Amino acid sequence: MDLLAIDSLSDDQIATLLAEGERWAEANRTGAVSQAPLEGRIVFNLFYENSTRTLMSFSVAAHRLGAQVVTLPVEQSSAKKGETLDDTARTLNAMRPDALVIRHFENGAPQRMARIMDCPVINAGDGTNEHPTQALLDALTIRSHFGRIEGLKVAICGDIKHSRVARSNARLLPRLGAEVRLAGPPALLPADFEGIGDVDTAIEGADVVMMLRVQRERMADDLGDAPGEYLARYGLTAERLKRASPDAVVMHPGPMNRGVEIDSAVADDPQRSLIPLQVEIGVAARMACLNLLVGARP
Ligand code: NCD
């Protein structure tokens, strides 16, 4: 089994991953991870895009489960000599890893990899398409704070157009009973966008406000806005957050552009910000994914 997209998971698989994620989060918190269910297994990390938390999170998760991690330094790999992704897949497959985690700048690259690899392939983010383990960790984070997801209003705001995090969350959270409201600057909404659109409206009464990074590296032209303009018009400030529910929490998948999509006062507010918790729970979510996919193999 691979983990490529939210829609390829059944409701039962999602429920299992969340329950297992909760179990690992608790074990990590109390230091009670004594077993090493993936001992002797080898996990390949293949990151064609920059990453801090997702790369480290998968590595830590695999190590905590007792597996060994081999990370391909893509910058020094044969991809730079013109090797195709399919040939890279055939090469890596011949080494018989037990799982492969891939992040790639092209939509669909993990699917291509999975067609060739015999081991489970996990999508750690492909282009502007999906980032399923981020959505799972976001769901777990919301559930760990509120004790539920059902009935919550989740505003996801910012660069929706380029966000695989928004796409995966917009597929997962409604299946768990949340109302998802997507909003951002008109230039950063997808062409076929239907929904709220306006950031202030989306935040109104929201229980969760999830801000997204402005992904300048995926834009042909710069937004051209003056410093501070994005924050004032579309970013999350303490003032704008007042529109949300009084108990609202703030999330961000990271990395943050401080002072652009989010003000530091909000990002660092210990009463409101779940951002460090997202990272902590991210390890547990990936432990659940790796254990389910790799541990199930004969
Ligand atoms: C995101 C990503 O790479 O999709 N980051 C992450 O994985 N936590 C979001 C982003 O890059 O803005």
Side-chain angles (χ1 to χ4, degrees):
M1 179 189 159
D2 303 305
L3 177 40
L4 302 174
I6 290 298
D7 287 349
S8 62
L9 293 171
S10 68
D11 290 346
D12 277 356
Q13 285 169 332
I14 291 171
T16 303
L17 285 170
L18 295 180
E20 286 291 294
E22 249 152 37
R23 209 169 61 77
W24 289 117
E26 176 64 18
N28 289 344
R29 248 192 309 270
T30 57
V33 189
S34 51
Q35 32 5 351
L38 298 189
E39 198 177 344
R41 306 300 182 98
I42 293 181
V43 176
F44 280 1
N45 266 341
L46 204 57
F47 278 60
Y48 288 82
E49 271 189 0
N50 292 358
S51 173
T52 297
R53 65 218 89 219
T54 307
L55 173 66
M56 294 300 283
S57 183
F58 270 109
S59 303
V60 171
H63 279 290
R64 286 213 193 283
L65 293 166
Q68 291 185 322
V69 178
V70 184
T71 301
L72 177 72
V74 169
E75 281 301 311
Q76 294 153 37
S77 74
S78 293
K80 300 286 156 187
K81 299 180 183 172
E83 184 173 68
T84 65
L85 191 66
D86 286 3
D87 279 338
T88 301
R90 290 183 193 103
T91 303
L92 297 178
N93 192 48
M95 298 176 195
R96 308 227 156 273
D98 297 289
L100 180 134
V101 178
I102 177 168
R103 164 168 292 191
H104 202 281
F105 47 85
E106 265 174 30
N107 294 10
Q111 280 80 357
R112 270 181 57 192
M113 210 75 195
R115 280 200 282 273
I116 293 171
M117 302 296 297
D118 293 317
C119 67
V121 172
I122 301 180
N123 180 1
D126 63 323
T128 58
N129 182 38
E130 279 237 26
H131 194 349
T133 62
Q134 178 73 41
L136 289 165
L137 82 85
D138 288 337
L140 267 174
T141 305
I142 294 170
R143 200 159 86 175
S144 106
H145 180 83
F146 289 101
R148 67 188 167 100
I149 295 173
E150 177 95 49
L152 296 179
K153 298 180 182 73
V154 182
I156 305 181
C157 304
D159 186 355
I160 305 288
K161 187 174 169 180
H162 300 109
S163 180
R164 51 199 177 205
V165 175
R167 270 176 200 85
S168 288
N169 268 306
R171 288 177 183 138
L172 179 64
L173 296 177
R175 284 175 68 182
L176 301 169
E179 176 193 324
V180 170
R181 304 159 168 186
L182 302 175
L188 297 181
L189 294 174
D192 57 351
F193 182 79
E194 283 173 28
I196 291 188
D198 174 61
V199 172
D200 286 327
T201 312
I203 292 178
E204 203 69 58
D207 302 288
V208 177
V209 182
M210 188 186 295
M211 299 309 293
L212 301 171
R213 184 174 67 89
V214 180
Q215 301 194 24
R216 293 185 198 270
E217 76 276 19
R218 295 191 208 277
M219 294 175 199
D221 311 311
D222 207 10
L223 283 178
D225 42 51
E229 194 182 325
Y230 189 98
L231 183 68
R233 294 182 66 181
Y234 310 108
L236 191 61
T237 57
E239 192 53 37
R240 189 163 273 132
L241 189 56
K242 287 184 187 154
R243 295 172 166 270
S245 144
D247 300 323
V249 293
V250 174
M251 297 174 69
H252 193 306
M256 289 186 273
N257 289 312
R258 289 173 178 266
V260 181
E261 72 269 0
I262 190 163
D263 192 30
S264 281
V266 179
D268 301 331
D269 179 350
Q271 305 301 319
R272 298 285 204 160
S273 172
L274 300 188
I275 298 167
L277 187 63
Q278 285 176 273
V279 178
E280 183 183 328
I281 287 186
V283 173
R286 278 143 190 154
M287 287 171 82
C289 295
L290 283 168
N291 198 31
L292 189 85
L293 267 60
V294 182
R297 294 192 81 214

